[in-house]
Amino acid sequence: MPASTQGAERIHDMIIVGGGPAGYTASLYAARAGLDALLLEQLAAGGQMGLTERIDNYPGFADGIDGFALGEAMRKGAERFGAETRLASALSLALSGPVKRVETGKEALRARTVVLATGAVPRELGLPGEQELLGRGVHYCAACDGMFYRGRTAVVVGGGNSAAEDALLLSRVCERVFLVHRRDALRAEQVYRAPLLRAENVEFCWNSVVEELLHDGAMRGVRLRDVRTGAERTVDCDGVFVSIGRKPASQLVRGQAALDPAGYVVADESTRTDVPGLFAAGDVRTKALRQVATAVADGAAAAHSAQEYLAALGR
Ligand SMILES: Cc1cc2nc3c(=O)[nH]c(=O)nc-3n(C[C@H](O)[C@H](O)[C@H](O)COP(=O)(O)OP(=O)(O)OC[C@H]3O[C@@H](n4cnc5c(N)ncnc54)[C@H](O)[C@@H]3O)c2cc1C
């Protein structure tokens, strides 16, 4: 479907916010359907997939695949059919009415449908100093920043797959790794858990939470509290890797679309939201399982639902 008009007056059929697997699948399907779709991505193709060295549970790759490479392949696959990407951050959305507005700071874009595919971002500890130390003592991605801690001591906070993967990666570069978990066993799957439990330089701090980040401009350590006894101890370290889960990146539609109590955009398999013309795909929407395979499924469904919506408008 051609753009209504060109330049500043242009009204896209679809603006997709976010270039993770959900966004690039929506982009691929939209391009193949002949829609005038523009995808906005603020960082790099692939989204959270870029944070893991290996994805083993996305079908079609017998030996697994590097997450960043899979993101690039998804981008190229969509662009092969003419999909358009712009490196830009959507700063605000105005979603009421038949023509939606997307502000990027540099330009005001317009579209008849918006696919929100902004994914999820790391959950923070919420401790004083966390923001100031971001990127120089406090980190949310071991694959990205672990190399800064070669031969040093790192603390990983969390007990799920991501925390276990982070701790394992850091155990290969750091002299010592402490894994702090509020329960007495890891939630991580066996494939992550088993090698971690074997790693000799990893020490587990079970039933513990971080009470305080100890720093003097540089990270010096953490104060831990045992959740059962209340006993406190200090662990010296150079860096803290926080891996306590993720939260939806839904702030762009807060106050405009229905969110569940955890902040996820309320939408079913069709990805339709309570705002006509707004579709929520991938980790940002309410669903049982947040994975690459389910994000890709949502991207396809979003493009399909948007096509139906546009057809009903007579477009
Ligand atoms: C460390 C780690 C390991 C993982 N391992 C696996 C695995 O092995 N297998 C598996 O199936 N899943 C894995 N996952 C989960 C999987 O990566 C996610 O479920 C999937 O990436 C979700 O896709 P998405 O497209 O919904 O969102 P995301 O991947 O989060 O992508 C969202 C994109 O939107 C962009 N964005 C956000 N806001 C804006 C804005 N305002 N303007 C422009 N762009 C914006 C972001 O920059 C990002 O690129 C892993 C996740 C992590 C963090």
Side-chain angles (χ1 to χ4, degrees):
M1 205 173 283
S4 297
T5 46
Q6 295 303 312
E9 297 302 309
R10 184 174 175 185
I11 302 177
H12 298 274
D13 292 321
M14 181 189 289
I15 289 181
I16 301 158
V17 185
Y24 268 112
T25 307
S27 168
L28 170 67
Y29 275 68
R32 285 171 58 92
L35 299 185
D36 167 37
L38 173 66
L39 182 147
L40 305 178
E41 169 52 49
Q42 61 190 4
L43 288 173
Q48 295 169 68
M49 296 194 303
L51 304 180
T52 183
E53 286 177 335
R54 196 163 189 79
I55 294 185
D56 278 325
N57 55 359
Y58 185 64
F61 299 95
D63 300 318
I65 182 163
D66 169 77
F68 186 78
L70 183 55
E72 275 298 292
M74 287 183 181
R75 178 182 64 77
K76 287 182 186 155
E79 288 176 357
R80 185 159 67 92
F81 293 96
E84 197 183 337
T85 301
R86 198 160 300 165
L87 189 62
S89 180
L91 301 181
S92 69
L93 305 180
L95 297 169
S96 62
V99 177
K100 325 290 181 199
R101 288 175 68 87
V102 180
E103 301 278 348
T104 68
K106 283 196 186 137
E107 54 190 341
L109 301 163
R110 300 192 299 165
R112 296 187 198 285
T113 65
V114 170
V115 174
L116 189 78
T118 43
V121 290
R123 209 169 278 288
E124 294 144 9
L125 291 170
L127 292 173
E130 191 171 358
Q131 293 299 324
E132 295 95 289
L133 292 165
L134 184 62
R136 45 187 194 89
V138 174
H139 305 265
Y140 299 91
C141 172
C144 317
D145 301 336
M147 295 308 148
F148 301 137
Y149 293 91
R150 185 170 291 285
R152 303 168 79 193
T153 300
V155 162
V156 176
V157 188
N161 284 344
S162 291
E165 193 183 5
D166 283 358
L168 197 58
L169 186 148
L170 290 166
S171 73
R172 296 190 206 110
V173 293
C174 294
E175 190 186 328
R176 238 176 140 191
V177 176
F178 292 87
L179 193 141
V180 176
H181 185 34
R182 63 190 165 146
R183 302 190 201 285
D184 60 1
L186 296 175
R187 271 184 297 111
E189 291 166 26
Q190 176 69 4
V191 283
Y192 297 104
R193 212 169 50 218
L196 187 62
L197 293 169
R198 282 197 303 270
E200 286 179 357
N201 59 345
V202 177
E203 188 176 316
F204 295 89
C205 307
W206 301 118
N207 301 304
S208 298
V209 291
V210 178
E211 283 285 282
E212 190 183 358
L213 301 171
L214 305 171
H215 60 97
D216 54 9
M219 179 60 75
R220 299 295 176 207
V222 289
R223 184 163 57 83
L224 303 182
R225 179 173 57 83
D226 187 308
V227 293
R228 294 164 314 173
T229 64
E232 296 194 338
R233 65 182 277 213
T234 296
V235 170
D236 294 338
C237 68
D238 304 296
V240 175
F241 288 80
V242 181
S243 196
I244 53 173
R246 313 195 67 81
K247 58 182 181 184
S250 58
Q251 64 280 6
L252 283 173
V253 300
R254 186 171 286 279
Q256 301 189 73
L259 306 183
D260 78 356
Y264 291 96
V265 183
V266 176
D268 64 11
E269 298 291 299
S270 74
T271 76
R272 283 189 207 98
T273 68
D274 63 340
V275 179
L278 173 70
F279 304 86
D283 279 14
V284 77
R285 85 161 171 97
T286 47
K287 56 157 81 176
L289 180 66
R290 294 189 175 85
Q291 288 279 280
V292 177
T294 59
V296 160
D298 278 6
H304 177 74
S305 295
Q307 252 182 290
E308 285 184 341
Y309 170 86
L310 289 165
L313 292 181
R315 307 225 33 104

